[in-house]
Amino acid sequence: MILNGFKLPVLFCLLLAMAFTPLHAQNVLDDLEEEETIDTPVSGEQAPSLVSETIKVIAPSKKIFILTNENQSFSKGDYISLLLANKLVCRALIAKTTNEKLSGIKIVKIYNLPLWKQLNMGKEVLVLKGDDSYYTNKEKAPEKEKSSKKKKDDSKLQTDEDLFNSTSLSGNEDDLSMDENSKRLIKPDNLVSFNVGLIQGKDVDGSTKRYTQINAAWGYQLSDNIWGEANVGTNTIRDYPSTGLDTRLINITVKGKYTFSAPFYSYIQPYVGYQTILAQSPSAGVADANHTDQVALDNELQLVQDLKKSSVVFGVTILKRIVPGWFVRADFGTDIINGGLSIEF
């Protein structure tokens, strides 16, 4: 009787457990699937704390930023998100920090392209360290973006190690070194230029004339934005000082420059310098069978001498960045009117 009395309750419990087991299993599967989607934010969830920092440097590729870390709220290896107007702009990883309260960050994801375009040097941004799901939950991506998240994108960084390997931070990638002085508008020390210009000289009748000259320049950054530059050029003047004779001009100029920032990734460099122009015509003033008039010979020597000069020069150089490391260059000065290309290294 006692056993029979227990059979009914036991049987009832077993049936009840079997009935709820499939329901529980289904909930587990649902939970696993939901892990791959963005959860709805919990009502009343407290917003994470944000700190305000300033963008100091943006690399030309916009992959690398140097950000202040005045609050010292993040360190190397931390993930952070940048916000404007309490909206997510981009996701980044701290790749380097310094004692000067600066951090080099590498951008790994852009959330909002219009806001991203507003980022520039000197801009104050809000920084969120760690998980940013509080904001991503409120700004759900379209369904097509959700599905694309499940596909591995080889063009994006997959692991933290990718940010520090030789492929990511060497070669043509932007330099994260913050040993460079941030006051420098052009970071590298060297600037080599190849140009074609118009240099002023004399014609055989004594009038002023400009001649096309190919020249090259090497500039070295002596101190922050202060440059020294050496320029050498040469050209040949045909039928000068007389028909059948040629004269070679050699232009040597040294300059001191100061760099100012200009719009559209450009720089202006006013300069002062000293120019020496040499003229060489070995056959000038030399008599031959068909050329014995001493007056004419002396005139040839004088015309060659007239091309020579040494003087102080003034002008301005304009540099316009076209791609990282390359500039279009123009010079407007009393020494030469020039145009060409420059390479920084």
Side-chain angles (χ1 to χ4, degrees), residues 152-260:
K152 183 175 180 181
D153 186 353
D154 293 335
S155 66
K156 293 183 179 179
L157 299 168
Q158 304 299 328
T159 64
D160 295 0
E161 287 76 10
D162 293 338
L163 294 168
F164 299 96
N165 62 28
S166 59
T167 302
S168 297
L169 296 179
S170 63
N172 294 327
E173 291 291 333
D174 302 296
D175 190 7
L176 268 179
S177 173
M178 282 174 286
D179 295 333
E180 298 174 344
N181 193 322
S182 61
K183 295 180 181 178
R184 293 190 175 190
L185 298 175
I186 300 175
K187 301 301 180 182
D189 288 331
N190 297 276
L191 198 62
V192 175
S193 305
F194 302 93
N195 315 290
V196 177
L198 296 174
I199 189 168
Q200 185 171 297
K202 296 284 187 180
D203 202 352
V204 290
D205 60 2
S207 61
T208 300
K209 185 177 181 179
R210 288 190 177 272
Y211 297 97
T212 302
Q213 184 180 86
I214 296 174
N215 59 89
W218 170 51
Y220 183 79
Q221 191 159 200
L222 304 171
S223 186
D224 294 345
N225 303 317
I226 299 175
W227 291 76
E229 182 178 275
N231 184 291
V232 177
T234 184
N235 64 287
T236 299
I237 305 175
R238 304 296 181 186
D239 295 325
Y240 187 100
S242 62
T243 302
L245 299 181
D246 296 334
T247 300
R248 177 179 293 276
L249 288 186
I250 300 174
N251 170 31
I252 302 172
T253 311
V254 292
K255 303 173 183 178
K257 298 182 172 184
Y258 191 85
T259 305
F260 296 94

Side-chain angles (χ1 to χ4, degrees), residues 124-136:
E124 288 191 6
V125 294
L126 296 176
V127 180
L128 168 64
K129 175 184 174 181
D131 182 24
D132 61 5
S133 60
Y134 174 84
Y135 291 94
T136 57

Side-chain angles (χ1 to χ4, degrees), residues 72-93:
Q72 295 187 321
S73 56
F74 42 84
S75 57
K76 180 177 178 179
D78 289 338
Y79 276 101
I80 62 171
S81 297
L82 304 186
L83 296 90
L84 288 176
N86 281 325
K87 292 184 179 180
L88 286 173
V89 180
C90 60
R91 187 74 165 156
L93 183 78

Side-chain angles (χ1 to χ4, degrees), residues 103-117:
S103 293
I105 67 173
K106 183 143 188 170
I107 307 302
V108 297
K109 185 176 182 181
I110 298 175
Y111 290 116
N112 190 315
L113 189 57
L115 290 179
W116 167 260
K117 293 179 180 179

